[in-house]
Amino acid sequence: MTSTFPDISISTDRLVLRPLEEADVPSLADMMNDELVAAWTVAPQPYTRAAARTWVAEYAPTERTAGRGVDFAVTEFLTQRLVGVVQLTNTDWRLRSTELSYIVASWARGEGYASEAALATAQWVFHDQKFERLELRTAAGNTASQQVAQKIGCISEGVLRNAWIARSRTEDGGWADIRTDLIVWSLLPEDLDGVPGRLADANGFTYPEWN
C-alpha cells in the first residue's frame, strides 16, 4: 500500500498551513502571475484562474492520495489571507525523503513568511512523519530562495549544472527561456537544532514549534 501524507493543517504564531481550497483560486492565480514566480518556476504564463482551479481541485489532491507529496496553502493566522504555497514533492517513502519548495505572494515578501512556513513544514515532516531527509533545489540566480534555505539550516550539497530553465523578460514583453544551474540543499533532523533561535535573532520574532 502506498503511504500518503495526512490531510491536516499546521499552525505557527503567524501562519496556518492548510489544504488548498476553492476559495483560494483568485489569490492563487494572482500570486502565480507575479514576475518573480514566472521567472523561477515552470508555471504557465499568463497563469489563469482555470489553471489555479485545476491545481486546487485535481493536482493537489491527486499528489497527496498517490503518495507523491502534499501541497499547503500558507495563510495569515489573523486575516486568513493567502500568502504563499509550500509543496512536498518527489517523495520516497522507503528512504523517508521528500523535496521541499515554496512560493510567496509579492505583497507578503520581506516578512519572513517563507522561512517560517518552510521551518514549520520541516519540523512536522521530521517529528510527526519520521522523515530523515528534506531536499531543496534553487536556481543559481534565485538568491531569495537560497537565503530561505540557509535560514532554516539547510546544507548546500553541490550544483547540478545546466539543470533548470528559468525565464527572462524580452524587449517585446514576452518570456525567453534561459538555462541555469541548480543548487542542491539538504536538511536532516539534526540540522534543526538551534534554528528557531537563530531565526529569531535575525528577524526579531520567534518561530515556535509547529502545532
Side-chain angles (χ1 to χ4, degrees):
M1 180 180 293
T2 301
S3 297
T4 60
F5 289 112
D7 193 16
I8 66 161
S9 296
I10 302 170
S11 299
T12 70
D13 277 354
R14 302 191 300 165
L15 302 173
V16 176
L17 284 67
R18 56 160 176 77
L20 288 160
E21 301 172 351
E22 174 68 24
D24 296 321
V25 167
S27 296
L28 185 60
D30 290 344
M31 180 179 73
M32 299 303 291
N33 274 308
D34 175 69
E35 292 279 314
L36 291 181
V37 174
W40 298 119
T41 74
V42 297
Q45 294 297 318
Y47 197 88
T48 64
R49 289 194 178 188
R53 189 169 290 107
T54 297
W55 184 352
V56 171
E58 299 178 23
Y59 175 80
T62 300
E63 285 292 286
R64 191 186 71 80
T65 56
R68 292 189 291 265
V70 65
D71 293 18
F72 289 113
V74 181
T75 63
E76 285 184 323
F77 179 77
L78 292 177
T79 67
Q80 303 303 306
R81 190 175 181 185
L82 182 73
V83 302
V85 173
V86 167
Q87 291 181 287
L88 298 177
T89 57
N90 300 320
T91 304
D92 188 318
W93 290 94
R94 182 173 181 270
L95 291 177
R96 310 302 287 187
S97 173
T98 189
E99 185 175 334
L100 173 71
S101 61
Y102 34 79
I103 299 171
V104 175
S106 58
W107 65 268
R109 291 174 190 145
E111 300 294 331
Y113 285 148
S115 300
E116 186 170 348
L119 178 60
T121 304
Q123 290 173 329
W124 171 72
V125 164
F126 290 146
H127 298 164
D128 187 83
Q129 299 299 300
K130 309 303 180 185
F131 270 54
E132 297 294 336
R133 173 183 170 90
L134 272 178
E135 185 172 303
L136 290 78
R137 299 186 178 199
T138 62
N142 191 351
T143 56
S145 186
Q146 292 161 28
Q147 288 170 356
V148 171
Q150 291 172 328
K151 284 180 180 178
I152 67 172
C154 293
I155 303 300
S156 176
E157 293 185 331
V159 176
L160 299 177
R161 297 184 301 162
N162 231 22
W164 190 250
I165 296 179
R167 286 181 284 207
S168 177
R169 278 293 188 188
T170 59
E171 291 183 0
D172 63 2
W175 291 98
D177 290 345
I178 300 175
R179 295 204 70 94
T180 187
D181 299 340
L182 278 178
I183 302 173
V184 179
W185 307 78
S186 68
L187 189 68
L188 307 183
E190 56 266 30
D191 296 330
L192 291 183
D193 293 342
V195 168
R198 293 199 301 272
L199 284 172
D201 291 340
N203 296 282
F205 44 78
T206 60
Y207 291 80
E209 295 288 305
W210 62 273
N211 297 295

